[in-house]
Amino acid sequence: MSSPFSFSLQSTHGAARRGEFHTPHGVVQTPAFMPVGTQGAVKAMRHRDVEELGAEIILGNTYHLFLRPGDELIARRGGLHRFIGWTRPMLTDSGGYQVFSLSDRRSITEEGAAFQSHLDGARHMLTPEKAVDIQAHLGSDIAMVLDECLAYPATHEAAAASMQRSVRWARRCRERLLRLRNEPVAGVTPTNPGQAQFGIVQGGVFQDLRDESADATVAVGFEGYAIGGLSVGEPIDLMYKVVEATAARLPVGQPRYLMGAGTPEDIVECVARGIDMFDCVMPTRHARNGQLFTSEGRINIKNARYAEDDRPLDPRCGCYTCRTHSRAYLRHLYMAGEMTSGTLNTLHNLSFYLDTMRAIRDAIALRTFESFRQEFLRSVARLSADS
């Protein structure tokens, strides 16, 4: 059995690509931004609102859903789509990044990552096979392989050892998924037979290691490929350099996903370097902290200057927040600690991101992406004085 997942390129402008991929739960236009729904929900948002903003795909987190409510419970409920009531495509990460971020609560061996839950201290082992099984229970449309996430900075020797282990784990992940597609496995109940799997390229900031990882990961054979281990503290120019060289080494006819990087500037710059998919907690997390993205730069809504500002948050935005409420009211809600503050702010930030993705896709199709990019970096991505 093979996955029904497919990807097609529709137009390009330089290295920027416009395309679409098909999944069992629908079509996603690329370049795409995936709002992060860590525990089966985009924080502070209803699914209806996320859909109305135009999000075609969201991201779920294997680590958190494994610990609570449990992937087996979700499988008994018919899978993550049915459990949470989201009918569009979904991607799940492997849980590796969360496990590796536990630092003093985990240990890494060739078998996998042993860790203690941040919830109750219970001990668990996340192996490549276990990561595949959990995501099979969740039934996402795209499942990520388990990889080792290396902290920055790291020596070439450490990055090489970590990258090579990630390649070995990728092979084990692929072998496990192919087995699940072709025969029943005791204790595992896949809830989405059409689930695709993406490999992840590692190697730190060392391009020779990135090249080796890309070649080895592509040789395993996945439905798509991700670039991991960036946006972890390295200089931004170095990140862009690694992204450009690594993306160029990946297959033209398959999607390329840059994991975790996500300022609006980063998205535009990395689309220009051949990336098709993005995710980041920035628009949702910043919203809850009062940091808002607008066409006039970033706004820190808690600042006193907005206490009597009757203007909309962004006069060029058509989202519900901007159509309905003033900066003064949004500041009041934030200062008062109202839950509605997080909802209205998140709605706007996600609208800004998703509108930006639509503008990017249109610019690529019209072959005006480069001029769009330059204008965006001059104006939209400019940090306002109070950010």
Side-chain angles (χ1 to χ4, degrees), residues 33 123 185 188 244 272 309 324:
F33 178 80
R123 294 184 177 277
V185 174
V188 184
E244 182 172 13
D309 190 337
T324 311

Side-chain angles (χ1 to χ4, degrees), residues 78-273:
L80 191 56
H81 286 88
R82 182 177 177 187
F83 180 58
I84 71 174
W86 176 261
T87 60
R88 297 183 180 184
M90 192 182 312
L91 178 148
T92 48
D93 62 16
S94 69
Y97 179 81
Q98 286 70 32
V99 168
F100 296 115
S101 68
L102 295 173
S103 61
D104 59 343
R105 289 175 170 232
R106 52 82 174 161
S107 60
I108 309 301
T109 64
E110 189 64 26
E111 180 185 2
F115 68 96
Q116 282 185 286
S117 165
H118 73 287
L119 296 176
D120 58 10
R123 294 184 177 277
H124 301 277
M125 169 63 79
L126 184 64
T127 65
E129 293 79 10
K130 181 69 172 176
V132 172
D133 292 352
I134 294 170
Q135 293 179 84
H137 283 155
L138 299 179
S140 55
D141 297 284
I142 300 172
M144 304 304 299
V145 300
L146 182 66
D147 60 329
E148 183 175 355
C149 305
L150 197 64
Y152 176 86
T155 65
H156 187 278
E157 181 181 18
S162 175
M163 176 274 291
Q164 289 160 2
R165 175 177 288 136
S166 289
V167 169
R168 294 191 294 272
W169 284 0
R171 294 191 188 104
R172 289 167 57 185
C173 285
R174 192 60 178 175
E175 289 168 1
R176 183 65 169 186
L177 182 65
L178 293 177
R179 181 182 174 191
L180 292 178
R181 284 180 181 173
N182 290 295
E183 63 181 80
V185 174
V188 184
T189 306
T191 59
N192 180 1
Q195 185 179 67
Q197 188 180 53
F198 281 20
I200 304 176
V201 176
Q202 286 288 351
V205 296
F206 305 101
Q207 196 56 53
D208 63 321
L209 299 182
R210 289 281 173 178
D211 292 348
E212 180 182 341
S213 177
D215 292 350
T217 306
V218 169
V220 175
F222 295 94
E223 282 78 30
Y225 298 93
I227 300 174
L230 292 175
S231 196
V232 292
E234 74 279 358
I236 194 69
D237 290 345
L238 183 55
M239 182 186 88
Y240 292 162
K241 182 179 179 181
V242 171
V243 166
E244 182 172 13
T246 306
R249 206 167 183 98
L250 297 175
V252 171
Q254 292 173 277
R256 304 163 178 170
Y257 166 28
L258 178 60
M259 303 181 74
T263 68
E265 305 95 296
D266 290 345
I267 289 175
V268 171
E269 286 291 88
C270 291
V271 165
R273 290 161 170 81

Side-chain angles (χ1 to χ4, degrees), residues 290-361:
Q291 302 284 332
L292 303 170
F293 297 92
T294 80
S295 61
E296 300 173 346
R298 297 186 199 178
I299 286 178
N300 185 342
I301 201 63
K302 71 186 78 171
N303 283 359
R305 73 181 71 179
Y306 303 117
E308 298 188 53
D309 190 337
D310 293 328
R311 293 175 296 168
L313 180 60
D314 186 346
R316 296 174 60 184
C317 178
C319 78
Y320 172 83
T321 301
C322 293
R323 294 196 316 269
T324 311
H325 301 301
S326 67
R327 297 179 182 189
Y329 181 58
L330 294 174
R331 180 180 186 275
H332 159 68
L333 291 177
Y334 183 86
M335 300 305 291
E338 283 287 342
M339 288 188 292
T340 310
S341 171
T343 296
L344 292 173
N345 290 350
T346 302
L347 193 153
H348 168 75
N349 273 0
L350 284 179
S351 179
F352 180 87
Y353 268 65
L354 293 168
D355 283 350
T356 298
M357 302 313 296
R358 281 188 284 269
I360 288 172
R361 292 194 295 268

